[in-house]
Amino acid sequence: MATSCSFLLCFMLCFLHISLSISEILFLPLTHSLSNTHFTSPHHLLKSTSTRSANRFQNHHRRLQNHHHHQVSLPLSPGSDYTLSFTLGSHPPQRVSLYLDTGSDLVWFPCQPFECILCEGKAENTSTSALPPKLSSTARTVHCKSSACSSAHSNLPTSNLCAIANCPLESIETSDCRSFTCPPFYYAYGDGSLIARLYRDSVTLPLATPSLVLHNFTFGCAHTALAEPVGVAGFGRGVLSLPAQLASFSPQLGNQFSYCLVSHSFDSDRVRRPSPLILGRSDEKEKRVNNNDYPQFVYTPMLDNPKHPYFYCVGLDGISIGKRKIPAPPFLKMVDREGSGGLVVDSGTTFTMLPTSLYNSVVTEFDNRVGRIYERAKEIEDNTGLGPCYYYDSVVNVPSLILHFVGNESSIVLPRKNYFYEFLDGGDGVRKKRKVGCMMLMNGGDEAELSGGPGATLGNYQQQGFEVVYDLEKGRVGFARRKCASLWESLNQG
């Protein structure tokens, strides 16, 4: 799911190709990229990411209204998203860097020749090459009778796909359409779109140790896009997502993955520390974690969404501010037959989005405790799109914030830096320099506006400092507090 605050993650390159046993677990070092050239002030960065978060969340609901399976907003704010890298099966190998997105279910990237309309000011592709990759000679188009083609075209019947691809009637009637390629498909996002074709080729996940080659990997190749200069690696629950395709290679690798995001708080000096992305899980890894006295996972069940099956939906029971628990509205605890409700765990959205009723209750309780002591920074709120914000002189005292998920004892206490961002404002000769702190949650809209889609989104900023595991085999999402940089070191010992 598709916006966002600030990380770019890249896999280390290693070209040792080895076969993997079913019990293999792979660790990947994730790195962040936060460039000061992409924003001129904290106001600029926060406004950019809060606007993108809002656009992405709102667009999840436009999808159902438009009856289009793949309308998702992409995370394109500069310096605010995670990327992963892989290489295409060509000689010499071509590296492609894509946004990691647990809210979509397709892997696609720009291909030469590539034209991007209205892409000025957008994040550039982070691959080592300035140009989009070329398809290799081994790439093959996907045919009409493929389930992958049907999935890309919102599950259109194969006969309709054959007609779209200009198959002769006799070929359609005899179901002999395999020689005809899958026609181009349209993909729409919050403020952009693209047209792509499906291909299959060998791709390499350039892991730290070892490198993994996936043969007959299905991806979208886009030659034209509107406001979408960078591709996406969909980690959602669809059949074309990266985990789903990994599962066909090895169920151990594809049926469970997790990431642990090192807290950076928009600090460019801290973003170089590696964050682990873990494909699969093993008893040995669990033993290493447990021996280091790491907290155990808190699990909450995944909720099936009939209209948006690629989402990782969970139930939100309430939010505590200090010792007061604020119950979540009933539609956040479940997903109905129309696809409405639930909370989506999304690596592609930066800030957590809450429905208006819950958001207002949380803000009111937070302000009752903080606003009576500190001055509200209204101008900062207008400039950043966040709030409430406060001026303070020394250390500001803020209440704790706890997320309560549906399930037995499934609550997590957010670290202060995950929901309250502090920075310096002013000092530019116009305004005096002052310390400011802002709550990092956002208003997602009224319940009526959210009909037909998720009721809330858990953004990646609130996921920092946790290992978040997506257990597809058991249908659950887990959270555990971690020192993510230390976790990376412990996972690679031995």
Side-chain angles (χ1 to χ4, degrees):
M1 209 181 258
T3 13
S4 332
C5 245
S6 44
F7 317 99
L8 290 174
L9 45 107
C10 299
F11 297 134
M12 279 185 172
L13 299 179
C14 176
F15 298 100
L16 174 64
H17 297 170
I18 66 173
S19 60
L20 293 170
S21 69
I22 200 68
S23 62
E24 201 84 46
I25 181 172
L26 306 178
F27 311 119
L28 300 85
L30 313 180
T31 58
H32 308 305
S33 173
L34 186 64
S35 172
N36 290 333
T37 62
H38 284 141
F39 58 91
T40 58
S41 67
H43 297 170
H44 182 190
L45 175 63
L46 294 174
K47 184 65 174 180
S48 174
T49 52
S50 63
T51 299
R52 177 64 66 171
S53 292
N55 288 343
R56 176 181 174 99
F57 182 70
Q58 293 167 4
N59 201 65
H60 289 321
H61 304 88
R62 298 192 196 111
R63 280 180 299 189
L64 184 59
Q65 296 168 8
N66 293 339
H67 300 286
H68 197 286
H69 180 68
H70 289 298
Q71 280 190 304
V72 290
S73 168
L74 280 182
L76 292 176
S77 298
S80 64
D81 309 301
Y82 305 95
T83 66
L84 62 83
S85 298
F86 62 85
T87 54
L88 296 178
S90 57
H91 301 285
Q94 301 175 89
R95 186 181 128 191
V96 183
S97 294
L98 309 177
Y99 290 123
L100 182 150
D101 185 13
T102 59
S104 64
D105 58 350
L106 175 73
V107 179
W108 75 270
F109 52 83
C111 296
Q112 290 191 45
F114 179 67
E115 179 185 15
C116 193
I117 305 166
L118 299 179
C119 283
E120 294 78 9
K122 293 279 189 173
E124 298 177 354
N125 195 310
T126 55
S127 64
T128 55
S129 172
L131 295 175
K134 293 181 179 179
L135 288 176
S136 71
S137 59
T138 57
R140 296 291 180 266
T141 53
V142 173
H143 58 71
C144 280
K145 286 292 184 180
S146 167
S147 60
C149 186
S150 296
S151 179
H153 284 270
S154 303
N155 297 311
L156 285 173
T158 54
S159 58
N160 287 354
L161 293 176
C162 290
I164 292 172
N166 295 319
C167 299
L169 180 59
E170 56 269 24
S171 296
I172 298 176
E173 292 293 341
T174 59
S175 299
D176 183 22
C177 198
R178 292 184 179 274
S179 61
F180 293 88
T181 59
C182 184
F185 59 90
Y186 171 77
Y187 223 85
Y189 303 99
D191 60 352
S193 59
L194 60 100
I195 294 176
R197 282 186 179 272
L198 281 185
Y199 290 87
R200 286 194 175 102
D201 199 0
S202 295
V203 299
T204 301
L205 294 177
L207 313 175
T209 305
S211 174
L212 171 64
V213 179
L214 299 174
H215 299 287
N216 293 318
F217 187 84
T218 302
F219 57 87
C221 168
H223 296 292
T224 307
L226 174 67
E228 304 296 348
V230 182
V232 168
F235 266 64
R237 302 173 74 179
V239 297
L240 294 180
S241 71
L242 196 145
Q245 296 197 61
L246 273 176
S248 65
F249 174 81
S250 167
Q252 174 68 19
L253 292 179
N255 285 341
Q256 186 170 144
F257 67 91
S258 68
Y259 49 71
C260 193
L261 308 177
V262 173
S263 299
H264 65 91
S265 298
F266 302 120
D267 185 347
S268 58
D269 293 331
R270 303 178 64 186
V271 299
R272 295 181 179 85
R273 293 184 298 174
S275 300
L277 171 65
I278 305 167
L279 301 177
R281 186 163 292 276
S282 69
D283 293 337
E284 289 73 19
K285 187 266 182 184
E286 293 287 356
K287 291 176 182 177
R288 286 200 297 274
V289 169
N290 294 336
N291 287 342
N292 289 332
D293 295 324
Y294 278 101
Q296 297 298 301
F297 280 104
V298 168
Y299 289 102
T300 183
M302 293 181 188
L303 304 176
D304 292 329
N305 190 314
K307 298 295 183 180
H308 309 284
Y310 41 86
F311 285 161
Y312 296 105
C313 291
V314 300
L316 182 66
D317 186 63
I319 297 177
S320 288
I321 299 296
K323 294 183 179 181
R324 185 195 167 195
K325 181 179 179 181
I326 303 170
F331 75 98
L332 289 187
K333 302 177 184 181
M334 56 174 289
V335 177
D336 65 21
R337 291 181 296 178
E338 301 302 319
S340 301
L343 176 143
V344 174
V345 184
D346 186 10
S347 69
T349 296
T350 302
F351 300 130
T352 293
M353 309 290 297
L354 300 175
T356 298
S357 59
L358 180 59
Y359 175 81
N360 286 343
S361 297
V362 169
V363 167
T364 298
E365 182 65 23
F366 191 88
D367 190 55
N368 286 341
R369 295 167 178 263
V370 180
R372 58 187 174 86
I373 303 175
Y374 304 99
E375 176 190 355
R376 281 286 287 267
K378 294 288 188 180
E379 184 178 0
I380 302 299
E381 295 173 6
D382 294 338
N383 290 336
T384 62
L386 298 169
C389 298
Y390 306 91
Y391 292 115
Y392 63 96
D393 296 321
S394 55
V395 177
V396 60
N397 293 316
V398 298
S400 62
L401 193 153
I402 303 173
L403 299 178
H404 303 281
F405 299 105
V406 171
N408 295 327
E409 300 181 357
S410 54
S411 300
I412 59 173
V413 180
L414 292 186
R416 170 191 171 113
K417 56 190 172 185
N418 282 31
Y419 63 93
F420 195 74
Y421 176 55
E422 300 169 69
F423 61 97
L424 285 176
D425 176 58
D428 54 4
V430 178
R431 298 188 309 273
K432 67 177 183 179
K433 185 179 295 185
R434 303 185 69 179
K435 296 178 181 179
V436 181
C438 294
M439 191 176 74
M440 307 296 272
L441 304 177
M442 294 189 65
N443 186 345
D446 294 332
E447 181 176 350
E449 299 173 328
L450 303 177
S451 177
T457 297
L458 181 63
N460 62 45
Y461 194 85
Q462 280 67 47
Q463 297 177 42
Q464 295 177 104
F466 288 88
E467 183 179 0
V468 183
V469 61
Y470 300 79
D471 188 341
L472 303 178
E473 186 175 15
K474 296 183 179 180
R476 59 184 185 172
V477 178
F479 303 87
R481 282 294 304 272
R482 299 280 189 259
K483 295 181 179 178
C484 295
S486 299
L487 176 61
W488 170 253
E489 295 174 359
S490 68
L491 291 174
N492 284 274
Q493 290 177 357

